[in-house]
Amino acid sequence: MEAKTLLPRLKRIEGQIRGLQRMVEQGESCQDILAQLMAARAGLDQAGQILLDHELERCLSQRLPPDQARLTALRRALRLRARFS
């Protein structure tokens, strides 16, 4: 797993969540809170994509001969699907 890529993202998300808690406690506007919720969710989605990419590489490299073009096409397809779900 790409810990050096994933851990900073997770720490950033953790900070966003703490910020959200403060915003709620301080009675910030719903619009501002929603904007921060969307940012935190996008961060989680990106962290999930990093893990999915790692899993795809691991699974495909164990079961199939290396084919970078196929792996790239599969990644694109999964990202497109994620955008529409």
Side-chain angles (χ1 to χ4, degrees):
M1 176 181 3
E2 290 289 323
K4 66 182 178 192
T5 304
L6 189 58
L7 284 175
R9 281 187 190 277
L10 292 174
K11 288 179 183 188
R12 191 174 324 128
I13 294 164
E14 180 182 18
Q16 288 175 311
I17 299 303
R18 286 187 185 142
L20 279 162
Q21 291 171 344
R22 280 191 301 275
M23 291 175 78
V24 171
E25 290 170 351
Q26 295 171 358
E28 297 288 334
S29 76
C30 290
Q31 286 180 334
D32 291 343
I33 294 170
L34 285 170
Q36 289 304 310
L37 279 170
M38 289 186 293
R41 181 178 179 172
L44 285 170
D45 290 344
Q46 290 170 356
Q49 191 63 52
I50 290 168
L51 285 172
L52 180 59
D53 283 349
H54 172 75
E55 185 64 12
L56 284 172
E57 286 180 26
R58 188 185 66 78
C59 286
L60 290 177
S61 67
Q62 289 177 357
R63 293 185 176 94
L64 299 171
D67 183 341
Q68 193 61 38
R70 235 185 309 175
L71 180 58
T72 299
L74 183 56
R75 279 185 182 143
R76 281 190 197 129
L78 288 171
R79 284 188 179 120
L80 282 173
R81 185 185 184 286
R83 286 183 189 158
F84 290 104
S85 52

